[in-house]
């Protein structure tokens, strides 16, 4: 499968040449760089023990020198590896070698949501809904293990080929195990610096308050807003203006960016993007479920956003072929 993103990674190219190409690191042979950010670089690599392709994330060397970070990294990596969920990129191994922290994950074939939006623009509501529901289920599963992502963004959402016409894409959420809570207990790495991405970061992360799963609800809402309109809800001219808007401005109506989307969905986003965590939805799936209902209830709304009238009656089983009837009796 093709790459696990995160920490600012973008897209899933075949791989760029890297100065580490051919180097063996902790039992993995580096093949090509597939993404990088401020905290980590991700490589396509070969697991020499099991002869499989993996995504190998190497963290910035200075992080390994911080005891708090190392402890949190070890703990959250173990938790992430213990979560067996179809929409979370599996973590195979995490550790330290030669003073560098690393994490090995499944190599997922496909592209990230950044690349998908860049190519297609705002998505049809049905497509946006399928993606949102899969990400929401992954986040809620992580929250059930007391693991908060803290950096939900299009670059951490991988879209691979689905299994059939009814499931045209399979979505993975990545970047669990690379601890996002920072080097301190407040959510900041250094004074005035927080871990997160401005267009999707929750207000409590900006102010350095304690966070829980509701910060992921906020970030997911920012992402889903972008999949529907083509822009995040608080896009501004400067970073400072974005920070201010995330903390104080209400989200704009969807129709401001994409006419035709129902007004009822605005109330759903207003709650999901509430500045106070207590005013938001308790879970990500609760947010997505209400959004789907709001979009489906509009005139001409897409029925794929709703749960529908209920399960279809099962089709009668096929009759056995003539040659099998002497030895086949229907119970």
């Amino acid at each position: 499968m093709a790459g696990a993103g995160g920490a600012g990674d973008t897209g899933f190219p075949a791989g760029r040449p890297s100065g580490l190409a051919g180097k063996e690191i902790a039992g993995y042979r580096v093949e090509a760089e597939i993404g990088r950010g401020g905290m980590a670089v991700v490589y396509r690599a070969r697991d020499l023990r099991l002869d499989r392709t993996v995504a190998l994330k190497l963290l910035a060397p200075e992080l390994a020198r911080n005891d708090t970070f190392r402890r949190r990294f070890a703990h959250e990596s173990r938790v992430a590896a213990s979560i067996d969920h179809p929409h979370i990129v599996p973590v195979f191994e995490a550790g330290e070698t030669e003073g560098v922290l690393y994490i090995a994950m499944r190599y997922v074939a496909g592209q990230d949501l950044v690349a998908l939006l860049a190519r297609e623009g705002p998505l049809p509501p049905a497509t946006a809904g399928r993606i949102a529901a899969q990400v929401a289920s992954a986040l809620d599963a992580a929250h059930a293990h007391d693991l908060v992502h803290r950096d939900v963004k299009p670059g951490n959402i991988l879209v691979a080929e689905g299994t059939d016409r009814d499931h045209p894409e399979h979505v993975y959420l990545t970047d669990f195990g690379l601890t996002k809570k920072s080097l301190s207990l407040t959510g900041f790495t250094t004074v005035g610096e927080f871990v997160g991405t401005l267009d999707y970061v929750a207000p409590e992360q900006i102010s350095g308050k304690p966070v829980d799963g509701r910060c992921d609800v906020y970030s997911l809402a920012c992402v889903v807003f972008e999949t529907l309109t083509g822009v995040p809800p608080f896009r501004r001219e400067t970073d400072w203006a974005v920070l201010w808007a995330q903390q104080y401005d209400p989200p704009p109506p969807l129709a401001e960016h994409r006419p035709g989307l129902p007004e009822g969905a605005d109330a759903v986003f207003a709650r999901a993007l509430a500045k106070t965590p207590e005013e938001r939805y308790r879970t990500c799936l609760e947010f997505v479920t209400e959004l789907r209902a709001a979009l489906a209830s509009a005139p001409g709304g897409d029925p794929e956003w709703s749960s529908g009238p209920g399960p279809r009656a099962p089709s009668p089983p096929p009759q056995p072929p003539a040659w099998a009837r002497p030895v086949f009796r229907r119970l």
Side-chain angles (χ1 to χ4, degrees):
M1 293 208 55
D9 312 321
T10 56
F12 293 92
R16 324 189 262 279
S18 166
L20 293 182
K23 180 176 176 57
E24 184 177 332
I25 300 173
Y28 303 94
R29 179 177 294 121
V30 173
E31 295 179 346
E33 180 183 321
I34 57 175
R36 66 168 53 236
M39 296 179 67
V41 182
V42 184
Y43 299 95
R44 187 183 71 236
R46 194 72 184 169
D47 184 339
L48 300 178
R49 291 158 292 190
L50 297 177
D51 193 27
R52 62 181 174 184
T53 300
V54 303
L56 181 66
K57 184 182 299 250
L58 303 182
L59 278 62
E62 57 268 22
L63 297 179
R65 295 194 290 269
N66 184 285
D67 289 338
T68 301
F69 186 94
R70 290 172 62 183
R71 287 194 298 270
R72 297 189 68 86
F73 172 79
H75 169 71
E76 294 196 13
S77 296
R78 285 195 298 270
V79 174
S82 71
I83 301 175
D84 183 13
H85 191 277
H87 300 295
I88 293 179
V89 173
V91 173
F92 297 144
E93 182 184 15
E96 181 178 352
T97 181
E98 300 180 54
V100 175
L101 296 170
Y102 69 91
I103 183 167
M105 300 164 286
R106 175 182 290 173
Y107 188 67
V108 177
Q111 61 189 331
D112 62 18
L113 190 55
V114 174
L116 181 63
L117 292 174
R119 189 181 73 246
E120 300 189 8
L123 302 177
T127 303
R130 289 192 302 268
I131 292 173
Q134 293 177 65
V135 177
S137 68
L139 287 168
D140 285 349
H143 298 162
H145 287 77
D146 295 322
L147 185 63
V148 182
H149 193 286
R150 305 181 188 91
D151 196 20
V152 180
K153 60 184 179 182
N156 283 333
I157 296 170
L158 315 182
V159 185
E161 184 177 351
T163 55
D164 52 49
R165 185 174 61 182
D166 293 330
H167 305 87
E169 60 277 310
H170 187 98
V171 177
Y172 293 91
L173 181 64
T174 189
D175 219 6
F176 285 105
L178 172 56
T179 182
K180 287 292 181 181
K181 193 161 185 180
S182 79
L183 306 183
S184 72
L185 298 179
T186 64
F188 280 70
T189 50
T190 59
V191 176
E193 181 185 356
F194 62 88
V195 176
T197 304
L198 292 185
D199 283 330
Y200 316 97
V201 68
E204 59 269 29
Q205 292 175 267
I206 296 171
S207 59
K209 296 177 181 177
V211 300
D212 58 23
R214 291 170 296 187
C215 82
D216 289 341
V217 172
Y218 185 98
S219 298
L220 176 61
C222 289
V223 171
V224 178
F225 189 100
E226 183 174 2
T227 64
L228 288 169
T229 66
V231 294
F234 301 108
R235 178 62 55 84
R236 299 292 188 270
E237 293 293 328
T238 67
D239 288 350
W240 286 112
V242 175
L243 289 172
W244 176 272
Q246 294 284 26
Q247 295 182 90
Y248 303 111
D249 290 351
L254 289 165
E256 183 177 306
H257 298 286
R258 186 178 178 182
L261 293 176
E263 293 182 2
D266 293 334
V268 178
F269 277 108
R271 181 178 174 187
L273 295 171
K275 306 307 180 183
T276 304
E278 291 75 17
E279 297 178 355
R280 296 177 203 147
Y281 294 100
R282 293 170 298 172
T283 69
C284 294
L285 280 173
E286 185 181 0
F287 154 59
V288 172
T289 299
E290 289 211 6
L291 181 61
R292 297 169 86 170
L295 291 174
S297 65
D302 194 318
E304 288 191 51
W305 275 83
S306 67
S307 57
R312 297 177 182 175
S315 301
Q319 292 294 322
W323 60 263
R325 288 172 188 163
V327 294
F328 181 93
R329 289 189 307 163
R330 191 175 307 284
L331 299 177

